[in-house]
């Protein structure tokens, strides 16, 4: 390594759950963080989505995907395929 | 395996190039590479929504195998998002200012303040500091998120020449900073009940499609509430899609904004589409009188005198993208491979955010989203993660919340998915939605969204 002091930073990044295995759950889930906060931990009124069970998140997303409600989260749910929703839910469930 | 071998070869090339340029390469242990883990160098240029996000996620996903150097003009960045709330005093510029050095320290990356230029031949980024000294950075990849620059009318350049942003007679205030404070001061000085504010909107594409209409609403709200009257004249260079309905020239949230312009602000806002700005003039400086001369759709010319003239000039990519020769003649933004954001002119320079060319809007939330797709693509190209499978297709999302008054807001959201046939990021129609009406609840959600977006982007 060429020069930087990584130690403290690496510890912090390790806590922040690095990439798991070979699916793109980490990338897809990171597309929730703009609204739900880094690693799914919200700073305020919008719900924290880290640490819920995969089946809860997947169930919520499927339900929102299928309902015609005009709100921002229902629209967001319609972005993803079923396989993507599973990858997202599985990844978010690892962020305890 | 293939990827690894390709990178080894590339490293051999890098060593040679750096040596040829007379720079001591820090990574020439080509022979020893099998033993020591290879560390790839990425230089990220731009401290805004795209650049700050990509720097963070490259480190997060590349860990010790990626050495990230983050370069931006200054060690702080002021967010344009929420900056219209500076105009009505609900936000301060300080509350929208983020420290890039502090973020870098948290992330374990290096931050360098200064103006960057890319020497593609020598594979070097040259950073010129305020005091005239330079830092040279060699790279395996550059990620560029320089934002926008403007094609400004000669008469506007002349009116503003030699004057600092905080005192310009004709500000754009479309990059946050002193110009936003200037615009607020000009609004504060408008006379009660009889002031005129002119807003000139450029042809699309420009930064934040709903942004100009949002600004018109915030200013109209100030005139209505605080000044007890006055006018906002909007000259929009865009043409209606339906000639029978002028409000179809509005570039985003047509329902929300046409309702505001004809309803709550009906006695204040005059909306003029198809209006091409020809010339501006000023007398009396920052707080003096201004004029805008525009050509209208029917070919006639109108001259409007006003207290405040806020011109958003035509947009183009930040100057560094032109200097690095990444933009074909006649174009204004950088064409990229939309799976990885690699420039079509140079596969080792990735361009995200407002400066790149795609159907995704020029906006900060989606720049954050593009940055993650880009970081993922680079980490995979380095061989740190396996290549994407056919199912692992880039997906991004955009969201804008717009204040409509001091207590209400609207929102707009949409997703994009990579289409391998057209090789473009394509809008997912089912995911396109906008607020049915402005509300206080949306206003609260706007602040909550921005806090999370800022936290994700700037590590605050
Ligand atoms: C009023 C307003 C409201 C908005 N609201 C929203 C919203 O609700 N939602 C949304 O998503 N977006 C919104 N936006 C748009 C958003 O702010 C921009 O799209 C976003 O900032 C673009 O990010 P970027 O990384 O491409 O560029 P920028 O954020 O402009 O960052 C570019 C950075 O690069 C630096 N730089 C450029 N060239 C060099 C160089 N050569 N060397 C070193 N540094 C360099 C610049 O100094 C700057 O710090 C809004 C914009 C405005 C004006």
């Amino acid at each position: 390594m060429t020069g930087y002091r990584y130690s403290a930073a690496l510890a912090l990044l390790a806590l922040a759950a690095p990439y798991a295995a070979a699916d793109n759950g980490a990338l897809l889930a990171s597309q929730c963080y703009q609204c739900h906060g880094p690693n799914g931990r919200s700073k305020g009124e919008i719900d924290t989505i880290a640490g819920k069970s995969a089946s809860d998140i997947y169930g919520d997303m499927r339900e929102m995907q299928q309902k015609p409600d005009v709100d921002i989260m229902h629209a967001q749910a319609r972005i993803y395929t079923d396989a993507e929703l599973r990858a997202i839910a599985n990844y978010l469930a690892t962020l305890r | 395996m293939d990827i690894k071998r390709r990178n080894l070869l590339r490293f051999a090339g890098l060593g040679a190039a750096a040596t040829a340029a007379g720079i001591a390469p820090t990574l020439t242990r080509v022979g020893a590479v099998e033993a020591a883990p290879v560390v790839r160098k990425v230089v990220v240029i731009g401290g805004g929504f795209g650049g700050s996000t990509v720097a963070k996620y490259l480190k997060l996903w590349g860990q010790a195998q990626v050495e990230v150097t983050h370069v931006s003009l200054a060690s702080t960045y002021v967010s344009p998002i929420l900056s219209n709330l500076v105009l009505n005093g609900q936000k301060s510029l300080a509350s929208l200012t983020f420290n890039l050095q502090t973020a870098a320290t948290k992330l374990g990356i290096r931050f360098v303040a200064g103006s960057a230029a890319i020497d593609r031949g020598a594979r070097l980024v040259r950073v010129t500091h305020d005091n005239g000294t330079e830092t040279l950075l060699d790279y395996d990849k550059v990620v560029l998120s320089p934002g926008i620059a403007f094609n400004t009318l000669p008469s506007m350049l002349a009116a503003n020449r030699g004057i600092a942003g905080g005192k310009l007679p004709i500000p754009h205030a479309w990059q946050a900073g002193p110009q936003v404070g200037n615009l607020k001061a000009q609004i504060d000085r408008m006379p009660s009940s009889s002031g005129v504010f002119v807003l000139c909107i450029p042809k699309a594409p420009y930064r934040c499609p709903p942004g100009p209409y949002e600004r018109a609403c915030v200013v109209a709200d100030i005139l209505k509430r605080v000044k007890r009257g006055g006018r906002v004249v909007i000259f929009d260079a865009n043409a209606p899609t339906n000639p029978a309905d002028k409000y179809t020239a509005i570039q985003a949230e047509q329902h929300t904004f046409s309702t505001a312009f004809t309803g709550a602000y009906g006695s204040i806002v005059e909306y003029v589409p198809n209006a091409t700005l020809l010339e501006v003039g000023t007398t009396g400086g920052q707080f003096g009188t201004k004029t805008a001369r525009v050509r209208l759709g029917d070919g006639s010319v109108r001259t409007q005198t006003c207290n405040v003239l806020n011109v958003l000039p035509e947009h183009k990519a930040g100057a560094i993208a032109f200097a690095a020769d990444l933009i074909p003649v006649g174009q204004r933004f950088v064409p990229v491979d939309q799976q990885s954001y690699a420039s079509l002119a140079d596969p080792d320079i990735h361009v995200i955010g407002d400066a790149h060319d795609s159907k995704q809007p020029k906006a900060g939330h989606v720049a954050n989203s593009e940055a993650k797709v880009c970081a993922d693509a680079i980490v995979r190209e380095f061989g740190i993660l396996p290549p994407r499978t056919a199912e692992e297709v880039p997906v991004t999302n955009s969201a804008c919340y717009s204040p409509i008054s001091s207590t209400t807001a609207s929102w707009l959201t949409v997703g994009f998915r990579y289409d391998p046939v057209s090789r473009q990021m394509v809008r997912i129609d089912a995911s396109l939605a906008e607020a049915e009406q402005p509300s206080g609840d949306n206003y609260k959600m706007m602040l909550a969204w921005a806090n999370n977006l800022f936290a994700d982007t700037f590590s605050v």
Side-chain angles (χ1 to χ4, degrees), chain A residues 69-72 75 78, chain B residues 411-414 429-435:
Chain A
D69 300 31
V70 181
D71 80 46
I72 209 161
R78 287 178 214 121
Chain B
W411 54 262
L412 169 67
T413 194
V414 64
D429 287 335
S431 69
L432 174 66
E434 63 179 72

Side-chain angles (χ1 to χ4, degrees), chain B residues 46 48-50 73 77 80-81 114 116 145-147 207-208 354 363-365 399-400 449:
Chain B
F49 285 88
L73 228 43
Y77 170 83
I81 293 181
S145 191
R207 159 177 287 184
C208 191
D354 290 0
H365 178 116
C400 289
W449 155 76

Side-chain angles (χ1 to χ4, degrees), chain B residues 144-360:
Chain B
L144 195 52
S145 191
I148 50 168
F150 302 105
N151 288 326
T152 307
L153 283 179
S155 54
M156 180 163 160
L157 289 174
N160 287 339
R161 184 160 296 133
I163 306 173
K167 294 200 168 353
L168 296 177
I170 309 176
H172 55 70
W174 214 236
Q175 288 157 319
Q179 290 203 24
V180 176
N182 174 358
L183 190 62
K184 174 178 169 43
Q186 292 199 26
I187 294 168
D188 288 349
R189 287 276 286 264
M190 285 175 76
S192 58
S193 74
S194 64
V196 179
F197 182 104
V198 169
L199 172 65
C200 298
I201 303 175
K203 276 220 163 80
Y206 58 81
R207 159 177 287 184
C208 191
Y213 311 98
E214 161 190 323
R215 177 169 287 174
C217 287
V218 170
V219 174
D221 175 65
I222 297 170
L223 296 187
K224 187 175 169 181
R225 252 182 329 110
V226 184
K227 306 281 182 185
R228 306 280 165 201
R231 287 165 64 208
V232 174
V233 181
I234 305 171
F235 291 127
D236 193 334
N238 295 288
T241 51
N242 168 8
D245 179 1
K246 68 175 178 179
Y247 296 106
T248 60
I250 293 175
Q251 295 298 302
E253 298 178 65
Q254 281 178 8
H255 171 70
T256 296
F257 292 115
S258 62
T259 304
F261 296 164
T262 55
Y265 305 129
S267 60
I268 294 177
V269 171
E270 180 193 359
Y271 179 71
V272 185
N274 256 328
T276 308
L277 185 62
L278 301 174
E279 195 177 15
V280 297
T282 58
T283 50
Q286 185 185 14
F287 301 111
T289 302
K290 292 99 184 177
T291 54
R293 206 158 62 82
V294 295
R295 192 179 51 242
L296 305 179
D298 63 3
S300 65
V301 171
R302 170 172 165 183
T303 301
Q304 177 67 51
T305 301
C306 55
N307 305 90
V308 183
L309 177 53
N310 181 199
V311 175
L312 315 183
E314 181 181 80
H315 287 31
K316 60 186 174 187
I320 185 174
F322 287 90
D325 205 12
L326 301 175
I327 302 179
V329 175
Q331 296 184 31
R332 286 184 279 140
F333 299 98
V334 184
V336 295
D337 168 358
Q338 296 180 21
Q339 295 185 83
S340 66
Y341 296 90
S343 153
L344 297 186
D346 186 332
D348 288 330
I349 301 186
H350 297 241
V351 184
I352 56 176
D354 290 0
H356 92 279
D357 190 8
S358 75
K359 289 179 178 152
Q360 296 164 111

